[in-house]
Amino acid sequence: MTKVTAQLSVSLDGFYAGPRHAGDGDWMDSAESAGFFRVTRWVTNAMAWRERQGFAGGERDANSDIVAESFGAAGAYVMGRRMADGGEIPWGEEPPFRAPVFVVTHRPRETLVRGGGTSFTYVTDGVASAVEQARAAAGGRDVAVAGGGSLVRQVLRAGLLDELELHIVPVVLGAGLRLLDADLDLGEKEAIELTPTRVVATPEVTHIRYAVRGRAPLVLDDRGSGGGPTTTVA
């Protein structure tokens, strides 16, 4: 059964990159880049990631196994335009996805076909349409929301996300681009409930996978009388 999944590396204080780079300088020299590469260091050290990029070396360990698992599970991807634009040249003629990629954007563009089974289809009618098209293309495998963080929040806000995996890196960035920000359109007494389904701890990063249960009201508990909250998730 096809699931819509997302995963992101974040710092202990919840940032997936440093403060947004808005200037004219090189992104690679920016604070945004510095934070991003710190929280994704475990990925670039993983043999499975390096092999997928065509690089030598890397560690074959639990982190590498998780990278390999994520590549193997994805039958199609949904991606934000900023990520697609930033990766188009570095990914080269054979990007690492090896599956259809649906890019959420406001700017139309012809489908870009690359080697190795990767294609980029530019979807201009919203994130729900991109997810629907990716489901149809996934061949029964998962639809992976590749990011960035703003797109993951859009999918979560729309109630389209089935599974979220956070790779929590033991570093505090202090400021930057936060994954779970205040634009989820939650009511004052409303939350999105998740259930942990797997935890894998390594010295470099802790991988926590959650099933997304959906929106639920925040209910005052019984403060010790024994009954507990009575409202359940719809």
Side-chain angles (χ1 to χ4, degrees):
M1 178 179 173
T2 296
K3 295 181 297 184
V4 179
T5 68
Q7 57 176 313
L8 217 61
S9 297
V10 295
S11 64
L12 193 60
D13 49 346
F15 299 106
Y16 63 91
R20 180 178 292 275
H21 175 60
D24 296 327
D26 187 351
W27 181 83
M28 292 293 290
D29 292 329
S30 69
E32 180 181 342
S33 169
F36 172 77
F37 285 114
R38 174 60 189 92
V39 299
T40 58
R41 183 187 300 166
W42 71 272
V43 182
T44 56
N45 285 341
M47 182 178 290
W49 183 87
R50 297 184 69 81
E51 287 177 346
R52 194 78 169 207
Q53 309 295 324
F55 301 151
E59 298 293 328
R60 188 177 296 280
D61 54 14
N63 294 331
S64 182
D65 290 344
I66 284 175
V67 172
E69 178 187 56
S70 67
F71 278 131
Y77 293 84
V78 176
M79 184 180 296
R81 181 67 186 249
R82 189 168 184 246
M83 181 175 177
D85 285 352
E88 182 174 335
I89 292 175
W91 289 328
E93 292 300 314
E94 290 197 19
F97 306 103
R98 302 179 188 175
V101 179
F102 296 85
V103 181
V104 180
T105 180
H106 296 294
R107 291 178 285 149
R109 180 178 175 182
E110 292 295 320
T111 297
L112 179 64
V113 178
R114 293 299 199 202
T118 300
S119 61
F120 296 91
T121 299
Y122 297 84
V123 180
T124 58
D125 55 346
V127 66
S129 176
V131 169
E132 182 180 359
Q133 292 181 56
R135 279 187 181 274
R141 295 159 70 193
D142 290 348
V143 171
V145 182
S150 175
L151 180 66
V152 173
R153 287 197 303 277
Q154 289 181 53
V155 178
L156 183 61
R157 183 173 63 230
L160 299 172
L161 193 64
D162 300 308
E163 183 178 281
L164 174 65
E165 187 157 14
L166 297 182
H167 310 290
I168 303 173
V169 178
V171 64
V172 175
L173 295 183
L177 300 179
R178 190 183 295 278
L179 172 58
L180 299 175
D181 216 332
D183 59 353
L184 291 170
D185 293 340
L186 290 169
E188 289 185 353
K189 294 185 177 181
E190 185 182 38
I192 296 173
E193 297 281 354
L194 303 95
T195 300
T197 60
R198 185 178 76 173
V199 178
V200 179
T202 76
E204 301 82 16
V205 56
T206 300
H207 312 275
I208 307 180
R209 178 179 293 172
Y210 298 92
V212 180
R213 296 170 54 201
R215 293 173 182 250
L218 295 172
V219 179
L220 183 66
D221 65 30
D222 64 359
R223 288 292 181 248
S225 66
T230 58
T231 301
T232 59
V233 177

